[in-house]
Amino acid sequence: MTVTLGVHASNPTLYYLARLPYLDEELAPLGESGAFHHYTDGTRTGELLADGTIDFGGTGSTPPITAQAAGHDLVYAVVSAPRPDHGALLVLDGGPVRTVADLKGGTVVLGVGSWQTHLLAKALDAHGLSYGGDVIPARPVAGEDQARRLREGEIAGWIAQGAELAAARRSGEFRALVRTGDVITDRSVFFTRRDFATDRPEVVAAITTALRRADAWVAAHPAEAAAIAARELGGTAADWRAALVALPWQLEPATDAFVAEQQEAADIFHRVGFIDRALTVADAQLSALEAPVAAALGKDR
């Protein structure tokens, strides 16, 4: 059997795992082999799991919630440690936006449907503002210079991450109105279909070990990892290195505390109409995965 993992550039662990030998090494003792399906939009992960294109995927915190709301029968496998410096909601330093309340009526550019939706919706909710009501969320358009648009007052805010965030910080022109870690934990979230996890928990555990090994490789080789990202994704190696070393490169079980974080997000999303029904996030927990995943996370290699 070939096990297919979804890969997109917004999930750094999977991005690097696809360039390393660890997946096949972990699956081989089980008589399995690994393959990678590359795609650009991480918000499609739920549908790719549902239609069988992939068997396992990873995103930020929002896509599994929207996938569950769409009726896809997914289960959480493992999550990253919190990533407090992964991204930030930037505004022009010295500009008219001084507080979150000042965003009212303005446009914020972000990856709609990604973890950035969770960040903006929760930040607004804490200040009595609504996502999509009081503030206009806008997707970035390829080729647009968001730093220029923010500088020239076309937009009120911009949620940046990775090398773009490092470059924006280096310019000295912008400030973080909302730091990710002050609002959400912003974990990488890895999930799969319920039938796959139920039938093959040992395969999920093997994938978890491969993910953990990929994280360890990046943590030990940040310059090499940064050079790969700069070559393939653009930006400078220095900015990518700054972005990569800010990440924890550590995996954790999908605990009840994590599920509570997701439930809070799902409740906000439903209240503002981002998802069309209330969810019980705990329905995406699978007790049969707890022991094999915990063992995989404690496995030395």
Side-chain angles (χ1 to χ4, degrees):
M1 175 181 172
T2 299
V3 179
T4 303
L5 273 59
V7 177
H8 54 92
S10 294
N11 187 281
T13 299
L14 287 166
Y15 174 78
Y16 288 106
L17 178 60
R19 289 151 179 81
L20 296 163
Y22 303 145
L23 181 61
D24 276 337
E25 290 177 4
E26 295 299 331
L27 290 175
L30 302 176
E32 313 282 8
S33 61
F36 295 96
H37 175 75
H38 294 264
Y39 56 109
T40 58
D41 184 0
T43 65
R44 297 183 56 232
T45 302
E47 67 185 72
L48 293 174
L49 284 168
D51 69 15
T53 300
I54 64 175
D55 299 305
F56 189 97
T59 64
S61 54
T62 301
I65 294 173
T66 54
Q68 191 178 359
H72 301 316
D73 194 12
L74 61 90
V75 294
Y76 291 110
V78 65
V79 301
S80 78
R83 304 181 296 177
D85 296 313
H86 179 219
L89 170 52
L90 301 178
V91 298
L92 184 65
D93 193 20
V97 177
R98 304 297 181 90
T99 69
V100 171
D102 294 332
L103 293 171
K104 186 173 183 177
T107 296
V108 175
V109 172
L110 71 153
V112 175
S114 75
W115 67 269
Q116 298 180 7
T117 293
H118 185 186
L119 174 65
L120 181 60
K122 186 175 178 183
L124 294 174
D125 190 69
H127 289 80
L129 301 177
S130 66
Y131 177 95
D134 295 310
V135 173
I136 303 166
R139 300 176 187 274
V141 175
E144 281 185 337
D145 183 345
Q146 306 306 332
R148 178 198 61 76
R149 298 182 73 204
L150 194 52
R151 187 186 306 116
E152 296 179 4
E154 292 183 17
I155 57 177
W158 168 37
I159 299 181
Q161 69 183 71
E164 287 187 325
L165 176 59
R169 283 172 166 160
R170 181 167 43 78
S171 76
E173 297 178 280
F174 312 104
R175 67 180 181 87
L177 178 68
V178 178
R179 175 179 170 270
T180 297
D182 292 337
V183 180
I184 63 173
T185 57
D186 183 31
R187 303 176 189 271
S188 274
V189 181
F190 301 91
F191 49 106
T192 184
R193 292 186 306 277
R194 183 177 302 275
D195 60 348
F196 182 81
T198 301
D199 294 343
R200 301 304 305 272
E202 73 280 8
V203 174
V204 176
I207 295 169
T208 298
T209 301
L211 294 171
R212 185 174 65 82
R213 293 178 66 193
D215 276 2
W217 182 87
V218 179
H221 303 88
E224 187 175 347
I228 293 170
R231 182 173 64 251
E232 297 182 356
L233 304 175
T236 70
D239 286 336
W240 273 111
R241 190 181 192 284
L244 294 175
V245 299
L247 297 178
W249 302 110
Q250 179 181 344
L251 297 177
E252 300 177 350
T255 63
D256 289 345
F258 161 72
V259 170
E261 295 169 5
Q262 293 292 88
Q263 186 65 59
E264 180 185 53
D267 292 345
I268 294 172
F269 291 160
H270 182 232
R271 188 161 64 246
V272 302
F274 187 72
I275 59 175
D276 61 8
R277 66 186 180 96
L279 295 181
T280 300
V281 173
D283 289 345
Q285 279 185 300
L286 184 65
S287 59
L289 280 184
E290 293 175 6
V293 167
L297 293 176
K299 178 180 176 182
D300 292 325
R301 185 74 184 227

